[in-house]
Amino acid sequence: MAARPPLVALKDVRLQDGQRPLFDGVDLAVEPRSRAAVVGRNGAGKSTLMKIVIGLIEADSGDRAVQAGARFAYVPQEPDITGETVLDYAASGGAERWTAESWLETFGLSPSKSTQGLSGGETRRAALAKAFAEEPDVLLLDEPTNHLDILAIELLENELVQARFAVLVVSHDRAFLNKVTNTVHWLDNRRVRTLNKGFDAFDDWAAKVQEEEALALEKLTKTIERETETFYRSITARRTRNEGRARNLAALRAERAEKMKDVPRDLYLGVDSGAVSGKLVAELKGVTKVFGDRVIFKNLTTRVMRGDRLAIVGPNGAGKTTLVKTLLGELASDEGTIRLGANLEPVYLDQSREGLKSDMTLWDALTPGGGDSIIVRGFSKHVAAYAKDFLFQESQLRQPISTLSGGERNRLLLARALAKPANMLVLDEPTNDLDMDTLDKLEELLEGYDGTLILVSHDRDFVDRLATSTIAMNGRGDIVETPGGWQDFLRQNPTFLAPPPTHAESAPKTPAPVAAAPKKSVKLSYKDARRLEEVEKLMETLPVEIAKQDAILADQSLYTRDPAAFDRAMKAADKARADLEAAELDWLELEEKKAALAG
């Protein structure tokens, strides 16, 4: 059977961006019913390439061929939702209103909902409903999983896998791409390479391509070295000034210089875990949080220990950020108790991007106190040098933040957060808009981080790679914690995030009478109970003693003025820290024993 012609194809497409080309001979074809990913670094031009495919941008040269009658639908990174209701918006592209209404309901939106005040997730779902309702031949999606919760992402995956149209998607979400794609277009060095397999085969293929290119560059460098030595040592070259050899050497050098321009700069990420926190970071017992008539979560009992990597997952609006702020003590609980450990130095990366005003420059954002330097993990560094670590050009420093892309804004948030020493990192949706190379760097950083990590994320792959335990919230007040990441949680709680059953399904069945088992009364021994009281008091008083001795040692002249006093304070501080560590370990053992007895 003859292959069907592509719905849209680009041939030798070139586009200039300033002094250098953004695309330099791009070839790309979208086959009927293919599901293709476009991947590449931030700034490579993925979104621009999508706009050329759909015809929103015209290339400087090259050909764009479109099959007659082919229909396109496009969901950009930041959809502009207009109209009085989301139904008005979803039908504005020519879809039948009943079709638009059906897709809105599929994506969990009421068709009568106003377009004003939509959340990021609601905006994304409205834009997806509009695109599906238009029944295109080619659907183009630019970062479609941003702001969607895990349930909405899985719904989108299922719809795309079953769709009869072709899909071209830009995304950083590995789990999503593994599920939906059968082709990968890699935009790299201003050209596109195509892998006719799903994204799950991409990493191995890309590594092999990069290895071959590195070997080719090394071979070119050695050729230049050999030609240079020959040119300058050759008697013929010195006496007759062999112009042909000189031109050849200049061409080789120019080729290498051009190739070196395409070698991407590495992102440099570092973090200082600061002072060591107590063994116990936080303990919650029977904690409940309520807003009005709505229970956010109830009867939560958990412990966060130093070095834990806790992921918090659940639908948008379930209360994940509320849980984080309650755990940190920023919000008071309505029931239960919260105990925070000693010496906590948390840094909170908030994905609402509070504190980043659109008219603020990148320089202002990195130096809120003014000046031309920033304290980075205890050392002064020029703002331009620090910005370069996060792949910002010096020319961007005076530009308003409104000109930055989503990925650049997220890198700026990381730059601000990671400058401060922190023995506890709280990252709220850190993966939004970041390319895969940056995600890999961030993951590598967090894997080596010896502080405590609390991660709120919808990125299942990111959670699976990092989390040692996962707390899930279903938006109905229920909360559950399991060891491991997303897949571990899903295996142990397959129906936890499912919608509640209908009235008929939930009607109670008349149970057979069962005799109640006699309740066994158990408690700690008198000795253990007394020790538990003692260590709880020590966990309150010892941090005060540590702070007192540290304040004495902060006097820089003390050692010269009174060495004996300095020595006493040092020993007292060391003893208090050792006593606190021992008290925390005893407390943990006794609490676990108490819980086991309570059965």
Side-chain angles (χ1 to χ4, degrees), residues 42-53:
N42 283 142
K46 301 185 296 295
S47 296
T48 302
L49 182 61
M50 296 269 279
K51 291 176 182 177
I52 291 177
V53 170

Side-chain angles (χ1 to χ4, degrees), residues 86-341:
V86 291
L87 178 56
D88 294 332
Y89 164 75
S92 63
E96 297 285 350
R97 287 184 72 84
W98 67 268
T99 305
E101 184 172 350
S102 175
W103 279 110
L104 285 167
E105 290 173 347
T106 295
F107 283 105
L109 284 177
S110 169
S112 61
K113 189 175 184 64
S114 171
T115 57
Q116 302 302 308
L118 295 177
S119 69
E122 289 170 334
T123 297
R124 180 73 55 189
R125 285 184 280 141
L128 288 169
K130 177 179 182 293
F132 275 79
E134 290 169 6
E135 299 180 346
D137 297 301
V138 183
L139 173 62
L140 297 96
L141 304 172
D142 197 346
E143 298 290 4
T145 65
N146 277 0
H147 308 294
L148 291 184
D149 58 41
I150 291 176
L151 296 182
I153 293 171
E154 291 185 336
L155 169 66
L156 176 59
E157 288 172 348
N158 292 332
E159 294 296 342
L160 291 176
V161 168
Q162 297 172 32
R164 299 179 65 82
F165 48 70
V167 178
L168 189 64
V169 58
V170 170
S171 179
H172 66 269
D173 188 325
R174 290 176 180 273
F176 174 77
L177 293 178
N178 285 341
K179 180 72 177 289
V180 305
T181 61
N182 54 28
T183 305
V184 182
H185 301 297
W186 182 20
L187 180 55
D188 183 54
N189 294 348
R190 308 189 303 279
R191 296 176 183 269
V192 167
R193 299 179 180 86
T194 297
L195 171 67
N196 293 314
K197 295 181 180 179
F199 183 77
D200 54 357
F202 172 76
D203 284 340
D204 290 342
W205 173 72
K208 185 177 179 181
V209 170
Q210 288 175 327
E211 183 180 352
E212 290 171 352
E213 289 187 343
L215 288 173
L217 183 59
E218 182 181 354
K219 184 177 179 182
L220 176 61
T221 300
K222 288 181 178 178
T223 300
I224 292 172
E225 290 172 355
R226 187 170 59 251
E227 286 294 313
T228 300
E229 182 179 3
T230 302
F231 180 76
Y232 284 107
R233 289 188 178 183
S234 166
I235 295 174
T236 304
R238 285 201 302 269
R239 291 180 178 176
T240 66
R241 301 181 60 83
N242 188 324
E243 296 299 331
R245 174 159 274 166
R247 284 194 300 271
N248 181 54
L249 182 57
L252 288 172
R253 286 173 173 169
E255 181 185 354
R256 184 180 186 279
E258 189 63 25
K259 287 182 180 295
M260 289 302 296
K261 287 180 183 178
D262 292 328
V263 176
R265 288 188 294 124
D266 276 338
L267 178 75
Y268 176 75
L269 294 181
V271 63
D272 179 359
S273 56
V276 177
S277 70
K279 184 78 173 176
L280 171 74
V281 171
E283 183 214 13
L284 287 72
K285 286 186 177 180
V287 173
T288 295
K289 185 64 186 174
V290 177
F291 285 136
D293 295 331
R294 185 187 169 204
V295 177
I296 306 301
F297 54 88
K298 57 181 182 281
N299 197 31
L300 172 61
T301 296
T302 189
R303 294 188 194 112
V304 181
M305 307 304 295
R306 183 175 66 222
D308 281 355
R309 299 173 188 169
L310 172 65
I312 301 175
V313 301
N316 287 342
K320 299 186 293 294
T321 300
T322 298
L323 172 58
V324 168
K325 292 184 175 180
T326 304
L327 189 150
L328 293 176
E330 295 181 14
L331 288 177
S333 63
D334 294 294
E335 293 179 13
T337 60
I338 300 173
R339 181 202 298 271
L340 295 179

Side-chain angles (χ1 to χ4, degrees), residues 40-44 46-47 77-78 142-143 146-147 172 267 269 349 351 353 356 362 390-392 396 401-415 429-436 438-439 442:
R41 287 182 174 237
N42 283 142
K46 301 185 296 295
S47 296
Q77 279 193 40
E78 298 182 4
D142 197 346
E143 298 290 4
N146 277 0
H147 308 294
H172 66 269
L267 178 75
L269 294 181
L349 191 151
Q351 282 308 298
R353 294 172 178 162
L356 292 185
L362 193 150
F390 289 82
L391 306 184
F392 291 109
Q396 293 179 284
I401 286 175
S402 59
T403 65
L404 300 180
S405 68
E408 287 171 332
R409 292 185 199 185
N410 216 357
R411 291 207 307 273
L412 175 56
L413 284 172
L414 285 171
E429 298 294 3
T431 66
N432 278 351
D433 301 310
L434 295 181
D435 61 36
M436 289 175 190
T438 304
L439 281 177
L442 179 58

